[in-house]
Amino acid sequence: MQGNEAKTYLTVYHREGCHLCDEMTALLAEFQDELDFGFVLVDIDADAALKARFNADVPVVALGERILFRHFLNEAILRQALQHG
């Protein structure tokens, strides 16, 4: 029996050249080891539907279909969303 649980992955909707997006990914990286999660970057400019949905809101961090926060990292929401059990 293996004790490894599937790692949780967040989605970070971003765009190139966005300083808030760069700050968000840097902050998320600081929490990765402690909270045991990964994240996937999705460039909204590569998808017209995502660009229409998130154009003025990037960065947007989501867990599955649930948007956790926009523009700035919210540590309390991040911790709550990643709690296991």
Side-chain angles (χ1 to χ4, degrees):
M1 183 176 202
Q2 293 185 355
N4 293 343
E5 292 183 24
K7 184 178 275 202
T8 300
Y9 281 88
L10 302 176
T11 303
V12 180
Y13 297 99
H14 77 112
R15 69 169 25 112
E16 293 299 317
C18 164
H19 71 280
L20 288 178
C21 301
D22 295 340
E23 290 173 15
M24 179 70 76
T25 56
L27 287 169
L28 287 172
E30 292 179 17
F31 287 99
Q32 276 188 287
D33 288 339
E34 177 190 347
L35 300 177
D36 191 30
F37 71 95
F39 60 89
V40 177
L41 298 176
V42 176
D43 186 344
I44 67 163
D45 291 325
D47 182 308
L50 290 177
K51 184 174 182 179
R53 182 175 177 195
F54 296 127
N55 188 47
D57 292 329
V58 291
V60 175
V61 177
L63 177 57
E65 294 299 314
R66 184 173 141 224
I67 293 174
L68 300 179
F69 37 84
R70 301 167 193 256
H71 305 293
F72 303 102
L73 186 137
N74 183 312
E75 184 179 343
I77 291 173
L78 179 66
R79 288 181 182 282
Q80 182 181 20
L82 294 171
Q83 283 180 339
H84 297 288

